[in-house]
Amino acid sequence: ALLSEAVDRIRAGKYGEVHSLLIYRDGKLVFEEYFPGHTYKWDGPGFHGAWVEWDENQVHNIHSVGKSMTSACIGIAIEQGFIETVDQSIFDYLPDYQYLNSDGKDAITIEHLLTMTSGLDWDEWGTSYSDSDNDVIRLWFDCDDQVACILEEPLVGESGTHFTYSGGNTILLGEIIRNATQMDIEEFSGKYLFEPLGIDPPEWVRFDSGVIYAGGDQNLTPRDMVKFGVTYLDQGVWNGQQIVTEDWVEKSAAPYPGPENSWLNHSLRPIPPGDNTWGQRGYSYTWWTHEYSHSGKKLPAFYGLGFGGQKLTVFPDQNAVVVFTSGNYTSADTTAKILTKYVIPAFD
């Protein structure tokens, strides 16, 4: 009854444009609904392209949910022996950029990139993604070498202590994959992540320079997103194969303890902005962490979140994964409201 009401309200437009809602629980895909809406188009009105009837066969831009897939590739590269440890300096794997290894930047580790605590100056949330002043958009229009543009930014805080959401950090992770494995992240993820999951490997967006935008924007079906989430729900295992290590999943599910004296891990702030829910938030290895509450019970969760309301949430204690795709690019993300009002109560 709860989910039927949610579907009716979504179809009536009460939550803007929600394109899909899928729920996996106790080993099965138990709920799957699709709704009409716009495709994503960066230069379209409200970032909207064509109007389509979304279904299980259509791929959807997952935006920054793809950051969690970049993170998985780092974990896999460590397990495969291409990278030694997350505690290494990023410059161990950026041979062409040693000239920018100055002013304390050698202290930036791979883990700092994964947790958005590199300390490099970056402003991605201060302006719209249609604004050329947005640092991640600036990379497309004002940079011939995106890696250099990111590394040239000054340190504004000690690495490991200052959280700043940064697609630039994730782009550096993609470059580290390329240098460590001699495969770009599109090839590496296809071989070690997507093909083992039975997912058609998506194309990764590239800058004109050839640098891959490892911050997301892959096109996957919502069912593909569920597969990735279930792998993390099952301690890194899919179909009997260990895709990422159990230790990597644990680090992805628990908030990084480094940041202090900032709004991260604060109990009374909505994180990320516009999420419309309050509570204890954190950030881990490119996953957001949160502890929901319902009927006096705590429900820990970790989730990938993408522009416009793309959301992949893992609820370990509920043995559940919930996926949304949406087109709410110029309005508040409504997925948290649907989760807290309908989906979480339906777990009962």
Side-chain angles (χ1 to χ4, degrees):
L2 282 164
L3 296 177
S4 292
E5 181 180 346
V7 167
D8 289 344
R9 290 180 65 81
I10 291 170
R11 290 199 184 282
K14 301 297 184 181
Y15 294 101
E17 269 197 31
V18 174
H19 297 157
S20 71
L21 169 56
L22 287 73
I23 304 171
Y24 172 99
R25 197 175 194 210
D26 294 335
K28 297 179 181 179
L29 183 62
V30 297
F31 186 87
E32 182 178 31
E33 286 285 341
Y34 296 89
F35 311 92
H38 293 90
T39 58
Y40 172 74
K41 186 179 181 185
W42 182 80
D43 57 354
F47 300 98
H48 283 162
W51 182 268
V52 299
E53 296 286 336
W54 291 101
D55 62 38
E56 68 271 17
N57 297 313
Q58 288 180 285
V59 294
H60 197 288
N61 191 319
I62 65 172
H63 295 288
S64 287
V65 176
K67 287 180 170 64
S68 300
M69 297 170 185
T70 294
S71 168
C73 289
I74 292 289
I76 293 168
I78 291 173
E79 180 64 16
Q80 293 291 328
F82 294 110
I83 296 172
E84 291 182 22
T85 171
V86 294
D87 298 321
Q88 284 180 275
S89 169
I90 62 173
F91 287 96
D92 289 355
Y93 297 98
L94 297 173
D96 295 335
Y97 299 94
Q98 295 301 319
Y99 68 98
L100 293 172
N101 184 3
S102 60
D103 302 321
K105 293 178 184 178
D106 60 317
I108 303 172
T109 68
I110 294 171
E111 184 171 74
H112 295 150
L113 298 181
L114 290 164
T115 56
M116 303 292 188
T117 61
S118 68
L120 291 170
D121 191 27
W122 195 261
D123 183 8
E124 190 166 332
W125 281 349
T127 57
S128 165
Y129 283 111
S130 62
D131 192 328
S132 59
D133 288 336
N134 185 304
D135 274 345
V136 77
I137 301 303
R138 179 176 56 82
L139 294 177
W140 295 94
F141 296 101
D142 296 338
C143 291
D144 294 326
D145 183 336
Q146 287 71 31
V147 177
C149 285
I150 297 163
L151 291 172
E152 284 168 354
E153 292 292 333
L155 281 175
V156 293
E158 181 184 352
S159 301
T161 65
H162 182 80
F163 176 91
T164 301
Y165 187 81
S166 168
N169 283 357
T170 321
I171 292 168
L172 294 180
L173 290 173
E175 189 70 6
I176 287 169
I177 288 283
R178 184 180 70 83
N179 286 307
T181 70
Q182 303 305 304
M183 289 179 274
D184 66 32
I185 195 168
E186 180 174 294
E187 181 184 359
F188 184 86
S189 64
K191 179 178 180 179
Y192 289 99
L193 179 63
F194 294 115
E195 289 178 2
L197 292 178
I199 296 172
D200 289 335
E203 292 185 7
W204 292 61
V205 178
R206 297 171 186 264
F207 296 96
D208 290 342
S209 64
V211 171
I212 289 182
Y213 176 63
D217 281 353
Q218 302 93 335
N219 286 288
L220 296 172
T221 69
R223 286 186 177 188
D224 292 337
M225 295 169 69
V226 171
K227 284 184 176 183
F228 183 66
V230 170
T231 301
Y232 274 70
L233 178 68
D234 291 343
Q235 291 77 52
V237 175
W238 173 260
N239 199 25
Q241 181 178 353
Q242 193 82 43
I243 307 298
V244 294
T245 66
E246 187 172 349
D247 177 68
W248 197 261
V249 173
E250 290 175 359
K251 287 185 168 63
S252 300
Y256 181 59
E260 297 176 358
N261 302 319
S262 70
W263 48 261
L264 193 67
N265 296 326
H266 194 289
S267 61
L268 293 175
R269 294 180 186 266
I271 301 173
D275 184 85
N276 294 311
T277 58
W278 297 76
Q280 182 75 25
R281 300 298 169 86
Y283 197 81
S284 59
Y285 278 17
T286 73
W287 295 78
W288 293 96
T289 66
H290 182 48
E291 189 175 76
Y292 292 92
S293 60
H294 173 66
S295 298
K297 295 185 298 184
K298 300 295 185 182
L299 286 80
F302 59 105
Y303 57 92
L305 183 68
F307 179 46
Q310 326 317 316
K311 198 169 201 175
L312 165 58
T313 306
V314 180
F315 290 92
D317 293 353
Q318 299 298 315
N319 199 24
V321 173
V322 180
V323 163
F324 289 93
T325 55
S326 307
N328 292 322
Y329 298 110
T330 58
S331 57
D333 175 23
T334 59
T335 58
K337 288 184 176 180
I338 300 169
L339 267 178
T340 55
K341 188 171 183 178
Y342 298 109
V343 178
I344 289 174
F347 285 154
D348 291 342

